[in-house]
Amino acid sequence: MNLVAGATGMVGGEICRLLSEQGRTVRALVRETSNPEKVARLRSLGAEVVRGDLKDRASLDAACRHASAVFSTASSTMSRHEGDSIETVDRQGQLNLIDAAEEADVKQFILISFPSIDVNFPLQSAKRAVEDRLRRGRMTYTILQSTFFTEVWLSPALGFDPAHATAQIYGGGHNKISWISFQDVARFAVAALDNPRAANAVIKLGGPEALSPMEVVRLAEQAVGKPVAVQHVPEEALRAQHAAATDSMQQSFAGLMLYYAHGDAIDMTETLRAFPVPQLKSVREYLRATA
Ligand SMILES: NC(=O)c1ccc[n+]([C@@H]2O[C@H](COP(=O)([O-])OP(=O)(O)OC[C@H]3O[C@@H](n4cnc5c(N)ncnc54)[C@H](OP(=O)(O)O)[C@@H]3O)[C@@H](O)[C@H]2O)c1
């Protein structure tokens, strides 16, 4: 039995789909407040749906019962309700889930995280604390440190909207990022299951090509066939936002935008040798599909 925490999210939902496509058993952790359509979709995949919350240890004990692997993609950054925060969900909630999994004798824990960054912010310290707990624990762990998701950071929600001829860029836009599709993150997560090469491993994940945000803008212009007006948020403004932030979420978003401004090119050669996940989705494909 494979438990997926974050099953109604982008990566978690895709992990459930892939597991069920491979004929593996899936238990999806959802909340009372989770979107009913997403829960129905999980059921239609054949997943066993269990209610729980990362803040509620008893619900996690029940969810982990007889599970052999746990995938955790849950995060409060995009989907949160009263009481949810980086401290309660991304830090303590994940620690609760690890404790519950360990007590239930789960064999492997697969965590979606991001690479260590040279900027302090609460989401990063939460991720590092959870990773440290896994390293010190009894379970086989796989920590997948993914860089920026294409579908999130190159989307209108974050100001990247070539269809409407505008693109907001954080920083100068010349540092390269290995944008990765959330679907490929899910494919690596599923490929890590029972894979000796993923045992007690920390693996950085990026897409097939590192491109600077300005290079992405040029490709987007070709895809939509019109010029795109670029608006830069200067690095100094991001640093000021990071320093002035009054809550963890604001400070974390400023930290992530500074990370973007600094760039994150990841050489995937070695990882792809160990995990032959074919045809990673490129930014070009994404831009063509969304143009
Ligand atoms: N976006 C990026 O570029 C990026 C890059 C690297 C790593 N990551 C990491 O990748 C992971 C997956 O991201 P994603 O985009 O798939 O996330 P997402 O779509 O925002 O999904 C978050 C999931 O967490 C669940 N959740 C939130 N609070 C919870 C709680 N208290 N108890 C139980 N479940 C809770 C949500 O459930 P409901 O539907 O019930 O709210 C949802 O299923 C995250 O850990 C993120 O930090 C993201």
Side-chain angles (χ1 to χ4, degrees):
M1 177 55 79
N2 301 291
L3 172 69
V4 182
T8 49
M10 290 173 68
V11 179
E14 185 64 7
I15 290 174
C16 291
R17 192 186 69 76
L18 292 170
L19 287 171
S20 83
E21 194 178 78
Q22 294 181 4
R24 297 180 188 254
T25 47
V26 187
R27 185 180 286 161
L29 184 78
V30 308
R31 305 194 277 178
E32 291 297 336
T33 48
S34 293
N35 178 322
E37 281 169 23
K38 291 183 180 171
V39 177
R41 179 181 167 271
L42 292 167
R43 284 212 170 87
S44 74
L45 292 173
E48 176 195 341
V49 170
V50 293
R51 307 256 167 216
D53 193 301
L54 259 60
K55 304 188 297 305
D56 172 5
R57 171 64 198 270
S59 71
L60 303 178
D61 288 333
C64 287
R65 207 163 292 143
H66 306 304
S68 51
V70 172
F71 292 83
S72 187
T73 71
S75 173
S76 67
T77 44
M78 307 295 266
S79 183
R80 59 186 171 274
H81 299 284
E82 213 186 322
D84 290 342
S85 65
I86 287 169
E87 286 73 19
T88 61
V89 178
D90 295 77
R91 177 190 283 268
Q92 192 53 50
Q94 293 286 3
L95 296 174
N96 292 343
L97 181 60
I98 295 170
D99 289 345
E102 222 168 53
E103 276 191 27
D105 273 333
V106 164
K107 300 284 169 286
Q108 187 179 8
F109 196 106
I110 299 168
L111 176 76
I112 308 299
S113 185
F114 55 72
S116 202
I117 307 154
D118 198 12
V119 185
N120 281 331
F121 55 93
L123 184 62
Q124 144 130 284
S125 33
K127 294 280 191 200
R128 302 291 84 92
V130 175
E131 293 180 359
D132 287 348
R133 169 68 184 83
L134 277 178
R135 282 199 194 86
R136 286 185 282 102
R138 289 200 303 270
M139 293 178 287
T140 297
Y141 63 82
T142 305
I143 297 167
L144 297 175
Q145 295 183 330
S146 168
T147 190
F148 296 93
F149 296 174
T150 313
E151 295 84 353
V152 172
W153 288 86
L154 298 178
S155 77
L158 288 187
F160 189 89
D161 194 2
H164 292 98
T166 61
Q168 181 163 277
I169 297 295
Y170 306 105
H174 297 294
N175 295 325
K176 290 185 189 282
I177 294 174
S178 297
W179 318 91
I180 183 167
S181 167
F182 76 92
Q183 291 170 323
D184 288 331
V185 175
R187 288 163 81 207
F188 279 108
V190 172
L193 186 62
D194 300 330
N195 184 336
R197 299 182 118 154
N200 301 329
V202 180
I203 301 163
K204 282 194 185 159
L205 295 182
E209 188 181 14
L211 292 167
S212 73
M214 288 309 294
E215 287 171 328
V216 176
V217 168
R218 299 285 93 91
L219 292 172
E221 289 180 325
Q222 288 166 19
V224 295
K226 60 186 171 193
V228 169
V230 176
Q231 209 195 337
H232 290 270
V233 183
E235 206 176 314
E236 306 79 71
L238 295 173
R239 260 189 250 113
Q241 211 175 311
H242 176 256
T246 51
D247 73 58
S248 299
M249 203 59 78
Q250 276 177 6
Q251 202 188 31
S252 295
F253 273 108
L256 289 171
M257 289 186 269
L258 278 167
Y259 166 31
Y260 168 128
H262 296 168
D264 190 19
I266 294 176
D267 182 353
M268 288 294 288
T269 318
E270 284 305 311
T271 303
L272 285 168
R273 241 177 240 140
F275 299 89
V277 169
Q279 289 169 336
L280 298 182
K281 196 167 166 189
S282 69
V283 166
R284 288 161 217 265
E285 273 174 80
Y286 167 76
L287 293 171
R288 270 198 302 273
T290 52

